[in-house]
Amino acid sequence: MTGAEIRLNDLNYENLWLPYTQMKTAASPFHVTATAGATITLADGSELIDGIASWWTACHGYNHPQIVDAIVRQAQQMPHVMMGGIVHDQAMRLSTRLAAMTLGQDAKVFLSESGSVAVEVALKIAVQFFMNQGRPARKRFVCFEGAYHGDTTGAMSVCDAQDSMHAHFKGYLIDQYPHAVPKTKQQKADFESFVSQRSDSIAGVIIEPLIQMAAGMRMHLPDSLNFIYQVCQRHGVLVIADEVATGFGRTGTMFAFEQTNFKPDLLCLGKALTGGAAPLAATVASERVYAAFHQDCSELALMHGPTFMGHAIGCAAANASLDLFQQQPRLQQVQTINASLQQTLNPLLTLAGVNDVRILGAVGAVEVDFTIELGDALEFFRTQGVFIRPIGNVIYLAPSFTITDAQIQTLSHAIGAFIQTKRSNVTTPVAKAT
Ligand SMILES: *Cc1c(COP(=O)(O)O)cnc(C)c1O
């Protein structure tokens, strides 16, 4: 048989291009055949406890029967219909609920398929908000060190500029205004003068409130956000809260912005919106932002429209997920997970090699002082019966909210075992990140 015939007859990943992976040197990916609750099953039949819920999406656990039922029913009735000139039940219901839960009943909800697109749409709305009012020079964004907002071009431009993942593309991307998240009094004063000097060219500030998850669970206090919002109000700058990662309970409240005194002007949602079962994202715009578009002039309309906008199966999954948030004590479960993470991860601070332990809501992170080889870590954790995928030198848990205490214990124990085993071979520790 030729190679091509072998490939057509066997399951293999030779034709898959995997994300963020140098496939020439990376270890083989795990072949997952099934999921349930907080576990994933590999092709050899072994089960792993999933510590990160598929990039924090599967908040109700995998295969939740109410979400599965909603998807099946929607697929039988109407999988998808374009939204050009058409609306449907699931999208209407979802938008009404999301508006009421977030920026208020007069907010507008623009549905798309991925978090990156939700961010693109928010950036575009912010720029056009000023264009529509005759202020086209306001087209730049203040963004933050450590930020991650997605992998498309506009979203990359507001990510951390030093980040190796996107640094290659520097000359290709729009120049934005990066700044550190202001924490101290001095940093706050610097931030205000930074914004004030550039305010004529700034459309908005974009931030991941409370936790920069993709940066390795970097956290800041609500105080920093309150300050940023106040500065934006003083200088007429819009605030975009990218809650693609933090939305839907992850930080202990339904949305992270609820822990501040302000509401953002634009809000990006994705990831856990459908409980991780289908791709869907949303950009929510406040009534005030939307008002700049609601005019007797077709040129002032928002020119954006994804093919799979408001995907009916995705919206059905999202509505089922919101039902579960209403019916189940999810935020209480987040508190229980938080206590369990405190109890099991904080003691790791005494281990040699641990620089920091950070815990907020259902997120726990252990930063170590040595370089982690990703494939090696994945394999070590597999032998412990868990799936944990560190980011750089940060080993983190962001599990489903239905995970059991015993499963958390196993996950945290595996992290301790990993550090004790790997740190003993290390000679030059890495300094703690600031
Ligand atoms: C994951 C993520 C995105 C990008 O979402 P995709 O669905 O992967 O395009 C954007 N912002 C934040 C904060 C994220 O965590």
Side-chain angles (χ1 to χ4, degrees), residues 49-52 374 377-378 381 386-390 395-397 411-412 414-415:
I49 301 169
D50 187 341
I52 61 177
L374 184 59
L378 288 166
F381 287 125
V386 301
F387 182 75
I388 294 174
R389 189 178 193 271
I395 311 162
Y396 73 94
L397 300 177
L411 288 161
S412 297
I415 294 176

PDB file of all heavy atoms in Angstrom, residues 49-52 374 377-378 381 386-390 395-397 411-412 414-415:
ATOM      1  N   ILE A  49      -8.556  12.790  34.685  1.00  0.00           N
ATOM      2  CA  ILE A  49      -9.320  13.908  35.251  1.00  0.00           C
ATOM      3  C   ILE A  49      -8.820  15.171  34.567  1.00  0.00           C
ATOM      4  O   ILE A  49      -7.619  15.452  34.545  1.00  0.00           O
ATOM      5  CB  ILE A  49      -9.099  14.015  36.770  1.00  0.00           C
ATOM      6  CG1 ILE A  49      -9.526  12.721  37.459  1.00  0.00           C
ATOM      7  CG2 ILE A  49      -9.864  15.214  37.334  1.00  0.00           C
ATOM      8  CD1 ILE A  49      -9.101  12.654  38.921  1.00  0.00           C
ATOM      9  N   ASP A  50      -9.741  15.925  34.004  1.00  0.00           N
ATOM     10  CA  ASP A  50      -9.351  17.115  33.238  1.00  0.00           C
ATOM     11  C   ASP A  50      -9.299  18.330  34.169  1.00  0.00           C
ATOM     12  O   ASP A  50     -10.332  18.762  34.697  1.00  0.00           O
ATOM     13  CB  ASP A  50     -10.368  17.330  32.110  1.00  0.00           C
ATOM     14  CG  ASP A  50      -9.945  18.438  31.162  1.00  0.00           C
ATOM     15  OD1 ASP A  50      -9.085  19.258  31.553  1.00  0.00           O
ATOM     16  OD2 ASP A  50     -10.471  18.489  30.040  1.00  0.00           O
ATOM     17  N   GLY A  51      -8.114  18.890  34.341  1.00  0.00           N
ATOM     18  CA  GLY A  51      -7.938  20.032  35.248  1.00  0.00           C
ATOM     19  C   GLY A  51      -8.238  21.364  34.612  1.00  0.00           C
ATOM     20  O   GLY A  51      -8.278  22.386  35.309  1.00  0.00           O
ATOM     21  N   ILE A  52      -8.445  21.405  33.285  1.00  0.00           N
ATOM     22  CA  ILE A  52      -8.584  22.719  32.648  1.00  0.00           C
ATOM     23  C   ILE A  52      -9.817  22.843  31.742  1.00  0.00           C
ATOM     24  O   ILE A  52     -10.025  23.878  31.118  1.00  0.00           O
ATOM     25  CB  ILE A  52      -7.303  23.101  31.873  1.00  0.00           C
ATOM     26  CG1 ILE A  52      -6.988  22.109  30.770  1.00  0.00           C
ATOM     27  CG2 ILE A  52      -6.114  23.185  32.823  1.00  0.00           C
ATOM     28  CD1 ILE A  52      -5.779  22.490  29.952  1.00  0.00           C
ATOM     29  N   LEU A 374       6.814  21.240  27.820  1.00  0.00           N
ATOM     30  CA  LEU A 374       5.380  20.946  27.780  1.00  0.00           C
ATOM     31  C   LEU A 374       5.070  19.455  27.586  1.00  0.00           C
ATOM     32  O   LEU A 374       4.267  18.874  28.327  1.00  0.00           O
ATOM     33  CB  LEU A 374       4.710  21.792  26.684  1.00  0.00           C
ATOM     34  CG  LEU A 374       3.196  21.672  26.582  1.00  0.00           C
ATOM     35  CD1 LEU A 374       2.500  22.057  27.880  1.00  0.00           C
ATOM     36  CD2 LEU A 374       2.667  22.547  25.435  1.00  0.00           C
ATOM     37  N   ALA A 377       5.744  17.484  30.635  1.00  0.00           N
ATOM     38  CA  ALA A 377       4.743  17.733  31.683  1.00  0.00           C
ATOM     39  C   ALA A 377       3.453  16.969  31.377  1.00  0.00           C
ATOM     40  O   ALA A 377       2.888  16.305  32.251  1.00  0.00           O
ATOM     41  CB  ALA A 377       4.465  19.232  31.797  1.00  0.00           C
ATOM     42  N   LEU A 378       2.988  17.058  30.135  1.00  0.00           N
ATOM     43  CA  LEU A 378       1.746  16.366  29.767  1.00  0.00           C
ATOM     44  C   LEU A 378       1.863  14.871  30.051  1.00  0.00           C
ATOM     45  O   LEU A 378       0.939  14.245  30.569  1.00  0.00           O
ATOM     46  CB  LEU A 378       1.427  16.600  28.277  1.00  0.00           C
ATOM     47  CG  LEU A 378       0.962  18.010  27.917  1.00  0.00           C
ATOM     48  CD1 LEU A 378       1.008  18.226  26.406  1.00  0.00           C
ATOM     49  CD2 LEU A 378      -0.459  18.261  28.420  1.00  0.00           C
ATOM     50  N   PHE A 381       1.867  14.119  33.823  1.00  0.00           N
ATOM     51  CA  PHE A 381       0.513  14.219  34.378  1.00  0.00           C
ATOM     52  C   PHE A 381      -0.360  13.056  33.911  1.00  0.00           C
ATOM     53  O   PHE A 381      -1.200  12.559  34.664  1.00  0.00           O
ATOM     54  CB  PHE A 381      -0.119  15.577  34.026  1.00  0.00           C
ATOM     55  CG  PHE A 381       0.480  16.714  34.817  1.00  0.00           C
ATOM     56  CD1 PHE A 381       1.028  17.826  34.190  1.00  0.00           C
ATOM     57  CD2 PHE A 381       0.498  16.666  36.208  1.00  0.00           C
ATOM     58  CE1 PHE A 381       1.582  18.865  34.925  1.00  0.00           C
ATOM     59  CE2 PHE A 381       1.050  17.700  36.959  1.00  0.00           C
ATOM     60  CZ  PHE A 381       1.600  18.803  36.315  1.00  0.00           C
ATOM     61  N   VAL A 386      -4.163  12.481  35.236  1.00  0.00           N
ATOM     62  CA  VAL A 386      -4.786  13.800  35.089  1.00  0.00           C
ATOM     63  C   VAL A 386      -4.351  14.460  33.777  1.00  0.00           C
ATOM     64  O   VAL A 386      -3.312  14.120  33.207  1.00  0.00           O
ATOM     65  CB  VAL A 386      -4.419  14.744  36.269  1.00  0.00           C
ATOM     66  CG1 VAL A 386      -4.881  14.141  37.596  1.00  0.00           C
ATOM     67  CG2 VAL A 386      -2.941  15.053  36.312  1.00  0.00           C
ATOM     68  N   PHE A 387      -5.170  15.381  33.310  1.00  0.00           N
ATOM     69  CA  PHE A 387      -4.783  16.201  32.164  1.00  0.00           C
ATOM     70  C   PHE A 387      -4.597  17.637  32.657  1.00  0.00           C
ATOM     71  O   PHE A 387      -5.545  18.292  33.083  1.00  0.00           O
ATOM     72  CB  PHE A 387      -5.840  16.160  31.052  1.00  0.00           C
ATOM     73  CG  PHE A 387      -5.429  16.963  29.850  1.00  0.00           C
ATOM     74  CD1 PHE A 387      -4.463  16.491  28.974  1.00  0.00           C
ATOM     75  CD2 PHE A 387      -5.975  18.217  29.608  1.00  0.00           C
ATOM     76  CE1 PHE A 387      -4.047  17.244  27.876  1.00  0.00           C
ATOM     77  CE2 PHE A 387      -5.563  18.978  28.515  1.00  0.00           C
ATOM     78  CZ  PHE A 387      -4.603  18.483  27.648  1.00  0.00           C
ATOM     79  N   ILE A 388      -3.342  18.082  32.619  1.00  0.00           N
ATOM     80  CA  ILE A 388      -2.986  19.446  33.020  1.00  0.00           C
ATOM     81  C   ILE A 388      -1.988  19.941  31.983  1.00  0.00           C
ATOM     82  O   ILE A 388      -1.052  19.225  31.633  1.00  0.00           O
ATOM     83  CB  ILE A 388      -2.337  19.456  34.430  1.00  0.00           C
ATOM     84  CG1 ILE A 388      -3.353  19.016  35.499  1.00  0.00           C
ATOM     85  CG2 ILE A 388      -1.780  20.843  34.757  1.00  0.00           C
ATOM     86  CD1 ILE A 388      -2.756  18.852  36.896  1.00  0.00           C
ATOM     87  N   ARG A 389      -2.205  21.149  31.467  1.00  0.00           N
ATOM     88  CA  ARG A 389      -1.336  21.664  30.401  1.00  0.00           C
ATOM     89  C   ARG A 389      -0.797  23.030  30.817  1.00  0.00           C
ATOM     90  O   ARG A 389      -1.481  24.048  30.659  1.00  0.00           O
ATOM     91  CB  ARG A 389      -2.142  21.782  29.100  1.00  0.00           C
ATOM     92  CG  ARG A 389      -1.318  22.092  27.862  1.00  0.00           C
ATOM     93  CD  ARG A 389      -2.232  22.134  26.640  1.00  0.00           C
ATOM     94  NE  ARG A 389      -1.498  22.124  25.380  1.00  0.00           N
ATOM     95  CZ  ARG A 389      -1.059  23.210  24.751  1.00  0.00           C
ATOM     96  NH1 ARG A 389      -1.256  24.402  25.276  1.00  0.00           N
ATOM     97  NH2 ARG A 389      -0.418  23.117  23.602  1.00  0.00           N
ATOM     98  N   PRO A 390       0.423  23.062  31.375  1.00  0.00           N
ATOM     99  CA  PRO A 390       0.966  24.333  31.870  1.00  0.00           C
ATOM    100  C   PRO A 390       1.105  25.391  30.762  1.00  0.00           C
ATOM    101  O   PRO A 390       1.209  25.058  29.575  1.00  0.00           O
ATOM    102  CB  PRO A 390       2.354  23.949  32.400  1.00  0.00           C
ATOM    103  CG  PRO A 390       2.303  22.475  32.610  1.00  0.00           C
ATOM    104  CD  PRO A 390       1.365  21.951  31.570  1.00  0.00           C
ATOM    105  N   ILE A 395       1.677  26.296  36.260  1.00  0.00           N
ATOM    106  CA  ILE A 395       0.847  25.092  36.216  1.00  0.00           C
ATOM    107  C   ILE A 395      -0.485  25.483  36.831  1.00  0.00           C
ATOM    108  O   ILE A 395      -0.515  25.956  37.975  1.00  0.00           O
ATOM    109  CB  ILE A 395       1.484  23.952  37.034  1.00  0.00           C
ATOM    110  CG1 ILE A 395       2.963  23.802  36.658  1.00  0.00           C
ATOM    111  CG2 ILE A 395       0.733  22.647  36.821  1.00  0.00           C
ATOM    112  CD1 ILE A 395       3.753  23.017  37.708  1.00  0.00           C
ATOM    113  N   TYR A 396      -1.559  25.330  36.087  1.00  0.00           N
ATOM    114  CA  TYR A 396      -2.819  25.874  36.603  1.00  0.00           C
ATOM    115  C   TYR A 396      -3.950  24.866  36.505  1.00  0.00           C
ATOM    116  O   TYR A 396      -3.921  23.927  35.710  1.00  0.00           O
ATOM    117  CB  TYR A 396      -3.192  27.159  35.862  1.00  0.00           C
ATOM    118  CG  TYR A 396      -3.678  26.905  34.454  1.00  0.00           C
ATOM    119  CD1 TYR A 396      -5.041  26.775  34.176  1.00  0.00           C
ATOM    120  CD2 TYR A 396      -2.776  26.755  33.409  1.00  0.00           C
ATOM    121  CE1 TYR A 396      -5.489  26.517  32.891  1.00  0.00           C
ATOM    122  CE2 TYR A 396      -3.222  26.496  32.125  1.00  0.00           C
ATOM    123  CZ  TYR A 396      -4.577  26.379  31.864  1.00  0.00           C
ATOM    124  OH  TYR A 396      -5.024  26.110  30.608  1.00  0.00           O
ATOM    125  N   LEU A 397      -4.973  25.112  37.327  1.00  0.00           N
ATOM    126  CA  LEU A 397      -6.225  24.371  37.261  1.00  0.00           C
ATOM    127  C   LEU A 397      -7.343  25.370  37.003  1.00  0.00           C
ATOM    128  O   LEU A 397      -7.396  26.431  37.634  1.00  0.00           O
ATOM    129  CB  LEU A 397      -6.488  23.629  38.578  1.00  0.00           C
ATOM    130  CG  LEU A 397      -5.431  22.607  39.007  1.00  0.00           C
ATOM    131  CD1 LEU A 397      -5.789  22.012  40.370  1.00  0.00           C
ATOM    132  CD2 LEU A 397      -5.290  21.509  37.965  1.00  0.00           C
ATOM    133  N   LEU A 411      -5.819  16.243  41.376  1.00  0.00           N
ATOM    134  CA  LEU A 411      -5.148  17.195  40.481  1.00  0.00           C
ATOM    135  C   LEU A 411      -4.033  17.940  41.225  1.00  0.00           C
ATOM    136  O   LEU A 411      -2.896  18.055  40.734  1.00  0.00           O
ATOM    137  CB  LEU A 411      -6.167  18.197  39.930  1.00  0.00           C
ATOM    138  CG  LEU A 411      -7.156  17.653  38.873  1.00  0.00           C
ATOM    139  CD1 LEU A 411      -8.363  18.565  38.751  1.00  0.00           C
ATOM    140  CD2 LEU A 411      -6.465  17.500  37.519  1.00  0.00           C
ATOM    141  N   SER A 412      -4.360  18.451  42.406  1.00  0.00           N
ATOM    142  CA  SER A 412      -3.372  19.236  43.155  1.00  0.00           C
ATOM    143  C   SER A 412      -2.205  18.354  43.594  1.00  0.00           C
ATOM    144  O   SER A 412      -1.039  18.785  43.559  1.00  0.00           O
ATOM    145  CB  SER A 412      -4.023  19.874  44.389  1.00  0.00           C
ATOM    146  OG  SER A 412      -5.025  20.777  43.984  1.00  0.00           O
ATOM    147  N   ALA A 414      -1.072  15.836  42.008  1.00  0.00           N
ATOM    148  CA  ALA A 414      -0.242  15.609  40.816  1.00  0.00           C
ATOM    149  C   ALA A 414       0.685  16.801  40.571  1.00  0.00           C
ATOM    150  O   ALA A 414       1.842  16.632  40.165  1.00  0.00           O
ATOM    151  CB  ALA A 414      -1.131  15.353  39.598  1.00  0.00           C
ATOM    152  N   ILE A 415       0.187  18.012  40.830  1.00  0.00           N
ATOM    153  CA  ILE A 415       1.027  19.205  40.631  1.00  0.00           C
ATOM    154  C   ILE A 415       2.199  19.166  41.624  1.00  0.00           C
ATOM    155  O   ILE A 415       3.355  19.408  41.255  1.00  0.00           O
ATOM    156  CB  ILE A 415       0.197  20.501  40.791  1.00  0.00           C
ATOM    157  CG1 ILE A 415      -0.840  20.598  39.668  1.00  0.00           C
ATOM    158  CG2 ILE A 415       1.113  21.728  40.777  1.00  0.00           C
ATOM    159  CD1 ILE A 415      -1.777  21.796  39.772  1.00  0.00           C
TER     160      ILE A 415
END
